[in-house]
């Protein structure tokens, strides 16, 4: 798992509980996405609308429990973002 995935996960974990919910991912990408992209922590094309953020969440939620662990998240973003 990449260090970039950890940094992005932590930035999206708004309540700092070690898991991501769909609402957190959508909210955080909308509010922090452009800043994260400008810093190089997220590809510019990774900043999308709510539908794109929701689709990223669905792709990462491997066990279907509606929360993302770091491992689930990292497996998808490392592959999708080429990290």
């Amino acid at each position: 798992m990449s260090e970039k995935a950890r940094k992005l996960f932590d930035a999206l974990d708004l309540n700092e509980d070690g898991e991501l919910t769909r609402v957190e991912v959508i909210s955080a990408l909308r509010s922090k996405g452009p800043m994260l992209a400008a810093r190089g922590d997220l590809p510019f094309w990774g900043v999308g609308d709510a539908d794109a953020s929701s689709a990223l969440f669905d792709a990462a939620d491997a066990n279907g429990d509606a929360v993302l662990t770091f491992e689930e998240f990292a497996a998808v973003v490392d592959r999708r973002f080429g990290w």
Side-chain angles (χ1 to χ4, degrees), residues 26-67:
I26 292 169
S27 297
L29 284 175
R30 291 193 77 188
S31 64
K32 296 180 174 185
M35 176 194 62
L36 292 168
R39 288 191 331 213
D41 295 332
L42 174 71
F44 278 105
W45 57 265
V47 179
D49 60 12
D51 289 339
S53 299
S54 189
L56 174 65
F57 184 92
D58 289 338
D61 189 15
N63 64 2
D65 66 352
V67 294

Side-chain angles (χ1 to χ4, degrees), residues 8-20 24 28 32:
L8 181 57
F9 183 90
D10 291 343
L12 300 180
D13 187 10
L14 299 176
N15 65 0
E16 300 178 355
D17 68 351
E19 296 179 327
L20 299 177
E24 273 182 308
K32 296 180 174 185

